[in-house]
Amino acid sequence: MSEPLPLPVAVSADWLSANLDRVVVVDSRWYLDGRSGHDAYLAGHLPGAVFADVDTDLAASASPEGGRHPLPAAADFARTLGRLGIGDHSRVIVYDDAGGSIAARLVWMLRVLGTPAAFLDGGLQTWSGDLEKGEHTPEPVHRTPQHWPADRVVHTDTVLATSREPGQLVLDARAHGRYTGEHPAPVDARPGHIPGARSAEWTGNLGPDGLLAAPEALRERFAALGAEDSVTITVYCGSGVTACHDLLALEHAGHRGARLYPGSWSLWGGDDSLPVETGVPAGR
């Protein structure tokens, strides 16, 4: 039996090339502008990679109650993973072409369930080997359903009750202009952010080279946002996807146990009964 293969939150292209036969590789490309990630996958993907669609494989159906990308039910997610060839003891590398911002969703989902998973640091652009075209269909495997840990997933009522309390840090992983409300995206129902939240745009987790920053740099980044003094850290974004990049960066920096608000702004901003702040609060 081969030795266990522990995984950090991100691995290099060189590492992946040397371990390609020991992991399941997943292409999770997805585009907010409506381009097809699956078409990009068919045109060229890493050898043996399978495709996971953010909208249909990594989320339940969008709804006013759950937002654009609710977490899928345990049984549904297990079926998806089994179809992709990801079993109970698989190790998984996920990639995109957007700095890991999309790949982070599946990586976080797997890691929070105890499955070793990492994203390809720097994305597809760092891969210098051959690419394959067309669909890769793996042999289906068994995957045991697991419920999302209650201490790692929070809902609107919890965020509403605690977002301004001392020791309760809420981070917004969206672009800063969406946080302030100056440059809302077309998908944002209202401009602004959750009251009390601090701006932690996911791109701030990357160094100038486009790779995940070193743990020390990330510790400094999150310390400036209040992470060192926080009892809990909750992260949200537009719909619970890029927030996972912040969650992985927090783990890389040594902050374990941070929580995802899956509904994120698609749920909060879409509910006119919930309060909203715009601009940058004083002292932030």
Side-chain angles (χ1 to χ4, degrees), residues 46-91:
L46 266 60
V50 295
F51 181 76
D53 185 86
V54 169
D55 295 322
T56 58
D57 294 326
L58 308 183
S61 298
S63 71
E65 300 76 29
R68 285 198 307 276
H69 292 118
L71 289 174
D76 293 338
F77 189 46
R79 279 193 293 271
T80 293
L81 294 178
R83 175 176 55 79
L84 295 175
I86 301 172
D88 292 341
H89 304 291
S90 296
R91 289 167 172 79

Side-chain angles (χ1 to χ4, degrees), residues 9-143:
V9 299
V11 299
S12 69
D14 286 345
W15 184 97
L16 180 55
S17 180
N19 291 277
L20 201 57
D21 60 345
R22 302 178 67 193
V23 297
V24 178
V25 181
V26 182
D27 184 317
S28 67
R29 280 177 282 180
W30 179 88
Y31 305 102
L32 187 60
D33 61 12
R35 285 177 293 151
S36 169
H38 189 243
D39 285 350
Y41 163 83
L42 293 175
H45 58 79
L46 266 60
V50 295
F51 181 76
D53 185 86
V54 169
D55 295 322
T56 58
D57 294 326
L58 308 183
S61 298
S63 71
E65 300 76 29
R68 285 198 307 276
H69 292 118
L71 289 174
D76 293 338
F77 189 46
R79 279 193 293 271
T80 293
L81 294 178
R83 175 176 55 79
L84 295 175
I86 301 172
D88 292 341
H89 304 291
S90 296
R91 289 167 172 79
V92 183
I93 307 300
V94 191
Y95 71 89
D96 58 29
D97 56 4
S101 61
I102 307 302
R105 168 77 170 207
L106 178 55
V107 173
W108 179 85
M109 292 168 77
L110 290 169
R111 290 179 77 94
V112 82
L113 296 177
T115 295
F119 65 85
L120 175 59
D121 206 2
L124 180 61
Q125 298 90 321
T126 65
W127 183 259
S128 59
D130 293 336
L131 296 179
E132 293 180 349
K133 294 184 178 182
E135 196 85 48
H136 176 75
T137 304
E139 192 72 29
V141 298
H142 171 75
R143 174 78 186 199

